[in-house]
Amino acid sequence: MSDTLPLDVIGRRVEVNGEFATVLFSGIVPPVAGLWLGVEWDNPERGKHDGSHEGTVYFKCRHPTGGSFIRPNKVNFGMDFLTAIKNRYMVEDGLSEDDEQEYTVTIGNKPVETVGFDSIIKQQSQLSKLKEVSLRNCAVSCAGKEGGIAKACQNITVIDLAKNLLSSWDEVICIAQQLKHLEVLDLSENKLKFPSASSSLPGAFSTLKVLVLNRTGITWAEVLHCAPGWPVLEELYLSANNICVLERPTDVLHTVKLLDLSSNPLVDENQLFLIAYLPRLELLNLSNTGISSIHFADAGIGCKTSMFPSLQYLLVNDNQISHWSFINELDKLQSLHALSCLRNPLTEGSKEAQTIRQFIIAKIGQLKTLDKCVILPEERRGAELDYQKAFGNEWKKAGGHQDPDKNRPNEDFVAAHPRYQLLCHKYGAPEDGEFKIQQPCTLKNQLLTLRIKCPNQLEQKVLEKQLPDSMTVQKVKGMMSRVLKVPVSDIVLSYESPKMPGTEIELENDLQPLQFYSVENGDCLLVRW
């Protein structure tokens, strides 16, 4: 700990025995003599009061137990950036006398003998080669001597400065403007004071592509004030800042491809529309924001919205999504290919996870990945056919009909199932016998009657078997291995459906059940080896 007190102590970030705080007061606290620092802890449980002592208010805390008075010699004010780098990355100076070598260098016209000069050159060379630097939790508080960073380690492209003692955005600028190749900067968990107006020096972040500001206390207004200084930024992480989007970006953030707003509980659908026209935004993280609904009013049923034109990946995990209308609206996004929707009331309900997955796939036509699992063509086909059957009775009651000229379900049904008519056009309208009715979960109700053929073995008779729809492909192979006396490793399964003549669907995943591939009564199982 330092015995000297910085001149600009108010507002400084400090560390005491592993706990972080902000200095809000410096002075005498009677009746005890001597200098005290009043600090507000990041962890309010660490403190004892709200900044008051014996009826006198010395500073104010956001939490009634967030404050403490501490002697200056107990506080760590941190170190400059270059000192932290040297502490972590430079070789030791401690050479023995036998290792030290004498060198003669010329300064002006005068030769000067040096001892150990080679070690200094080696150290400087080591720093200049650094490209990726991690100073996480190293008590970095400032840039240090002007020009020192640029001279010593000018080739740095990636810096992790998370969980340090940086207290202002201006100090970050002092570091960044000396690093002309900086592309990635992580400032998470630094409680920074941001400017209320644009203060980024031209060129300070001219090459920056990735900026991480999680848990820094930044507001949306401050983001927009700083954004003109990020001309080529592609990824912006703003998680856990209590951000409320109140203003549409104008001429800023137009290069951003990834925006992380996760764990900001104030974000709702109306705020989202303010960022809906960022032209290059491809990935949006809205996990743990509390969002429950969304509606693109500019697009009707079966149409695409003009909002989020480039959005391909959407994360909405850990939210309050409980209605299928949310999923229906996502089908209106022009470019959406990947969705993560875990741990929502809709996906954690009473229905089986596999059924929920099928319904989401059927409702979003262009989706290629769901919850990090790739949607294969056969899974999409099975999901859409099962979706048709599951809601076939509702469709029929709402005015649906196998005759295309009479197929006119009412508005309520179309609103609840916007893609159903398209699926009827794609696969044909479902027949009455295909409609799924909720039945008791008995083995009889799950059995499929299948014909089994061996196309490459003409002498083999066609068999007929009743198999549970929950039976995995692996178990079917085992059964056929015993029946046909063929090694199970040699067996390849596929099936044909009378509804799609000429089309053979391979059962390529041994761990999936027959129902995954939408195998139905009357289908023909093909066995090859």
Side-chain angles (χ1 to χ4, degrees):
M1 306 300 171
S2 176
D3 292 329
T4 60
L5 194 64
L7 295 176
D8 55 343
V9 65
I10 303 301
R12 289 287 295 267
R13 295 283 293 162
V14 295
E15 178 264 328
V16 183
N17 297 326
E19 295 279 355
F20 291 82
T22 303
V23 179
L24 299 180
F25 168 81
S26 175
I28 308 299
V29 183
V32 183
L35 185 65
W36 291 91
L37 296 179
V39 301
E40 181 178 18
W41 300 99
D42 290 1
N43 175 14
E45 295 180 1
R46 173 67 174 77
K48 297 180 179 179
H49 51 73
D50 62 356
S52 303
H53 180 66
E54 295 186 353
T56 301
V57 178
Y58 292 91
F59 61 98
K60 292 183 179 181
C61 291
R62 289 166 292 182
H63 193 278
T65 61
S68 293
F69 291 108
I70 299 179
R71 292 296 191 183
N73 63 352
K74 301 291 186 182
V75 171
N76 180 11
F77 285 97
M79 66 187 77
D80 65 80
F81 181 90
L82 196 53
T83 298
I85 287 232
K86 289 178 179 178
N87 288 348
R88 185 150 194 172
Y89 290 96
M90 279 184 66
V91 295
E92 295 295 329
D93 282 335
L95 295 174
S96 67
E97 290 186 9
D98 293 336
D99 292 331
E100 292 182 344
Q101 301 180 36
E102 291 189 2
Y103 283 84
T104 301
V105 297
T106 301
I107 300 177
N109 295 320
K110 185 179 180 180
V112 178
E113 289 186 352
T114 65
V115 178
F117 197 64
D118 58 332
S119 69
I120 297 173
I121 294 173
K122 184 178 181 180
Q123 290 170 346
Q124 291 177 339
S125 174
Q126 184 182 9
L127 290 183
S128 67
K129 291 179 181 178
L130 285 175
K131 290 189 175 182
E132 297 188 9
V133 170
S134 177
L135 296 178
R136 179 178 286 261
N137 203 13
C138 285
V140 176
S141 61
C142 61
K145 185 179 178 180
E146 185 176 353
I149 299 173
K151 184 177 180 181
C153 42
Q154 66 277 11
N155 290 314
I156 292 176
T157 60
V158 178
I159 305 177
D160 182 353
L161 278 171
K163 210 169 185 180
N164 276 286
L165 299 178
L166 295 165
S167 57
S168 75
W169 184 249
D170 289 339
E171 205 62 53
V172 174
I173 291 173
C174 290
I175 295 172
Q177 67 182 353
Q178 299 183 61
L179 299 170
K180 302 303 181 185
H181 306 290
L182 185 61
E183 294 183 1
V184 179
L185 177 59
D186 188 346
L187 295 167
S188 297
E189 297 184 79
N190 285 281
K191 300 296 183 183
L192 297 169
K193 181 180 180 181
F194 291 91
S196 56
S198 181
S199 66
S200 296
L201 293 178
F205 301 99
S206 61
T207 58
L208 192 66
K209 294 181 180 178
V210 179
L211 179 58
V212 187
L213 295 172
N214 300 335
R215 296 184 177 87
T216 57
I218 193 169
T219 67
W220 184 250
E222 290 165 345
V223 169
L224 298 186
H225 288 145
C226 294
W230 312 328
V232 297
L233 191 67
E234 295 181 359
E235 299 183 14
L236 179 57
Y237 297 83
L238 300 171
S239 179
N241 284 304
N242 284 322
I243 277 179
C244 185
V245 180
L246 297 175
E247 184 180 348
R248 181 173 176 173
T250 304
D251 299 325
V252 292
L253 304 180
H254 286 184
T255 58
V256 169
K257 296 180 180 179
L258 181 154
L259 180 59
D260 183 356
L261 292 173
S262 63
S263 299
N264 286 296
L266 302 178
V267 174
D268 61 30
E269 66 170 309
N270 293 321
Q271 295 173 45
L272 289 185
F273 298 148
L274 294 173
I275 58 171
Y277 295 98
L278 293 176
R280 299 185 185 178
L281 185 61
E282 296 177 0
L283 189 152
L284 179 60
N285 189 349
L286 297 175
S287 296
N288 193 32
T289 59
I291 192 167
S292 60
S293 63
I294 193 166
H295 176 59
F296 301 111
D298 66 324
I301 294 172
C303 300
K304 298 297 181 183
T305 177
S306 61
M307 301 183 193
F308 298 103
S310 302
L311 189 64
Q312 298 180 32
Y313 311 95
L314 178 63
L315 291 84
V316 287
N317 302 320
D318 302 294
N319 281 303
Q320 301 300 316
I321 301 165
S322 57
H323 299 291
W324 284 107
S325 57
F326 188 99
I327 304 299
N328 291 340
E329 288 296 307
L330 297 186
D331 188 53
K332 295 179 180 180
L333 293 169
Q334 301 175 33
S335 308
L336 187 67
H337 290 156
L339 173 67
S340 189
C341 192
L342 299 168
R343 297 177 298 278
N344 280 279
L346 183 67
T347 57
E348 299 293 310
S350 58
K351 291 190 176 182
E352 292 183 5
Q354 185 61 37
T355 301
I356 297 295
R357 179 177 172 84
Q358 285 184 315
F359 287 1
I360 293 175
I361 292 170
K363 283 177 172 289
I364 306 177
Q366 70 273 27
L367 208 60
K368 296 179 180 178
T369 303
L370 177 57
D371 298 331
K372 297 184 179 180
C373 293
V374 174
I375 302 168
L376 299 175
E378 56 265 32
E379 183 182 11
R380 172 162 290 284
R381 176 183 175 276
E384 292 178 341
L385 285 171
D386 277 358
Y387 178 76
Q388 268 192 297
K389 298 169 192 173
F391 295 97
N393 278 315
E394 287 186 34
W395 168 75
K396 193 76 178 287
K397 291 176 182 177
H401 200 281
Q402 284 82 6
D403 184 345
D405 294 332
K406 299 178 181 178
N407 184 16
R408 297 187 183 87
N410 60 36
E411 291 182 3
D412 289 344
F413 180 87
V414 173
H417 306 278
R419 294 194 73 238
Y420 200 94
Q421 292 293 82
L422 186 148
L423 296 179
C424 287
H425 178 75
K426 183 177 180 179
Y427 298 110
E431 298 296 329
D432 291 355
E434 298 177 316
F435 296 161
K436 285 190 176 180
I437 301 173
Q438 297 298 325
Q439 295 176 321
C441 189
T442 63
L443 181 61
K444 180 180 178 181
N445 290 328
Q446 299 176 64
L447 289 177
L448 302 173
T449 302
L450 304 175
R451 291 183 305 122
I452 301 175
K453 290 170 56 176
C454 305
N456 297 341
Q457 310 294 326
L458 299 178
E459 70 281 2
Q460 184 69 44
K461 292 182 179 180
V462 177
L463 304 175
E464 187 172 290
K465 291 275 186 184
Q466 284 192 319
L467 305 178
D469 61 1
S470 59
M471 192 173 189
T472 65
V473 173
Q474 188 175 41
K475 289 183 178 179
V476 175
K477 285 183 177 181
M479 180 194 71
M480 296 313 303
S481 172
R482 293 189 295 273
V483 171
L484 300 172
K485 312 251 186 291
V486 176
V488 69
S489 59
D490 293 344
I491 293 178
V492 177
L493 297 180
S494 58
Y495 82 95
E496 293 177 331
S497 171
K499 296 178 183 176
M500 300 184 71
T503 301
E504 187 175 330
I505 299 165
E506 186 177 349
L507 308 182
E508 59 182 8
N509 190 334
D510 285 354
L511 301 180
Q512 293 290 2
L514 294 175
Q515 62 187 6
F516 175 82
Y517 292 99
S518 293
V519 180
E520 301 176 339
N521 274 318
D523 287 350
C524 183
L525 199 61
L526 305 177
V527 185
R528 293 184 175 89
W529 64 91

